Amino acid sequence: MPFAGAQNNNIVAYSLKNLLAYQYKTSPITIQSLAFKNELQHAYNVTFSSMNLTVSGRLSIPAVPPAEIKGIIIMLRGHQRPNGYYTGKGTENPAKRYLESGWAVIAPDFFGYGASSPAPPPFSMHQFYSTVNAVELYKSLEQPDFRFASAVPQADRIALPGAFRKIVLWGHSNGGQVAIHFLEIIQKPVTTVLWAPVSLAYPESAGHFGHGAAWLERFKNDYTAADYSLYNYLDKIAPGTRILLEQGDRDTAVPKAWNDTFSKAVEEENHRRDRAGIGKINLRYEVYRNADHNLNPYWTTILPGNVRFWEQ
């Protein structure tokens, strides 16, 4: 049975091919409440608009004067089960180290999580909706319009930056695939750290993570799969983009072979660019022995290394 109705329209409209021409919008970032504060940070629950819907998230501001904030990291988390999810889950632990180094952090919940709007149908396209969320968040941060909701007490309000010196990217697992899509869409050299990204291209990735072989076969029969594959748009990643790709060799969620393939594809794209006189993608691929999907037990070296990579 083929895909039908409004779902069909969304599947076509949100392919990578069509997202290159999508009309991205900016929006204010509204601070809805103070989640908590301590000696490290003020952590706020925020919302912004994307796809004319609401996306919630966590904005964490380090406890330094606004002028000393080094930049802001957009953190794109991996898959989380809706039951037991809370804003900041999947990003809060590495974010602490980044905040200690003077970086602000913003982590969107994505549709269907936190206080965000429900995800549009079909759910199988959530990676592409999340890509739009990430691109529109980036564009909104280029000239940020932070607004405190009237319900936020004056005592909970701090001075927020009117601009950020740098906007950088972090993506883990499914969020890593969103980050790769983001780089292909944004076409700016946004410095990016990828932790075990899902680099198995769509629709194979959706088939692998739960939709199954029959769904995958139907999708390929009904749509041009190449329009959705990150491998067909590596040429859109801006020259000079710096990417740190980190992978554990004992990762059972994202096999190392996937990112071996991705690394090789970027190498081949760079050979093409060499011949055409185009600037390369600066990919550094690090594999950690006996590390799992969360790069344990190497956090004590990986987290400071991420900060140095963004600050170079």
Side-chain angles (χ1 to χ4, degrees):
M1 175 179 166
F3 298 85
Q7 295 190 7
N8 177 76
N9 293 334
N10 276 0
I11 288 171
V12 173
Y14 290 93
S15 68
L16 288 173
K17 178 181 178 180
N18 285 325
L19 288 184
L20 287 165
Y22 188 91
Q23 297 300 303
Y24 295 94
K25 300 176 181 177
T26 61
S27 83
I29 298 171
T30 302
I31 297 162
Q32 301 291 353
S33 64
L34 177 70
F36 61 88
K37 62 181 177 181
N38 52 34
E39 69 283 352
L40 177 62
Q41 64 182 298
H42 275 71
Y44 290 109
N45 295 320
V46 301
T47 57
F48 65 96
S49 178
S50 180
M51 294 172 53
N52 298 316
L53 299 170
T54 297
V55 181
S56 60
R58 171 66 50 79
L59 171 67
S60 296
I61 303 295
V64 298
E68 295 180 16
I69 295 174
K70 295 176 179 178
I72 189 165
I73 306 163
I74 300 174
M75 298 190 72
L76 307 176
R77 60 165 176 79
H79 173 71
Q80 297 288 334
R81 296 183 183 278
N83 290 340
Y85 178 81
Y86 55 86
T87 295
K89 188 172 184 180
T91 58
E92 60 188 348
N93 289 328
K96 290 176 184 176
R97 180 63 183 85
Y98 306 148
L99 285 157
E100 288 172 357
S101 299
W103 284 81
V105 169
I106 189 164
D109 289 323
F110 300 126
F111 292 140
Y113 289 85
S116 301
S117 300
F123 176 75
S124 61
M125 292 296 288
H126 72 90
Q127 294 293 84
F128 298 95
Y129 304 146
S130 296
T131 299
V132 177
N133 298 164
V135 172
E136 294 194 320
L137 176 57
Y138 177 91
K139 289 180 175 292
S140 295
L141 288 168
E142 287 185 301
Q143 293 182 307
D145 179 8
F146 291 116
R147 301 180 183 183
F148 284 97
S150 59
V152 180
Q154 288 294 328
D156 291 342
R157 304 185 185 199
I158 60 171
L160 296 171
F164 291 103
R165 283 181 276 177
K166 289 184 177 181
I167 307 173
V168 299
L169 194 64
W170 177 97
H172 179 219
S173 194
N174 284 327
Q177 186 179 85
V178 173
I180 297 169
H181 291 170
F182 168 96
L183 291 174
E184 294 173 337
I185 299 301
I186 203 76
Q187 298 182 55
K188 294 182 179 182
V190 180
T191 305
T192 298
V193 171
L194 300 175
W195 283 18
V198 173
S199 53
L200 180 66
Y202 195 95
E204 286 79 9
S205 58
H208 176 85
F209 289 109
H211 291 286
W215 176 92
L216 180 59
E217 183 178 0
R218 291 202 315 274
F219 188 97
K220 289 184 172 181
N221 285 338
D222 292 345
Y223 302 100
T224 304
D227 292 349
Y228 303 80
S229 171
L230 63 90
Y231 286 95
N232 290 324
Y233 297 93
L234 292 176
D235 64 313
K236 302 300 183 184
I237 297 177
T241 300
R242 299 173 58 250
I243 303 172
L244 175 58
L245 170 59
E246 301 185 290
Q247 173 73 44
D249 67 358
R250 291 198 175 181
D251 189 336
T252 58
V254 170
K256 174 178 172 289
W258 292 0
N259 282 313
D260 290 346
T261 298
F262 178 69
S263 176
K264 181 65 174 176
V266 172
E267 182 180 336
E268 292 172 356
E269 167 62 15
N270 280 337
H271 288 325
R272 184 195 69 80
R273 294 184 182 206
D274 265 344
R275 294 190 296 271
I278 301 170
K280 294 182 180 180
I281 302 166
N282 297 323
L283 175 69
R284 192 173 106 204
Y285 183 26
E286 300 284 353
V287 177
Y288 298 91
R289 292 185 59 190
N290 300 319
D292 63 13
H293 188 51
N294 293 313
L295 302 181
N296 290 312
Y298 292 94
W299 276 32
T300 54
T301 56
I302 285 173
L303 294 173
N306 294 168
V307 171
R308 287 193 298 272
F309 187 77
W310 285 315
E311 293 179 358
Q312 286 174 1

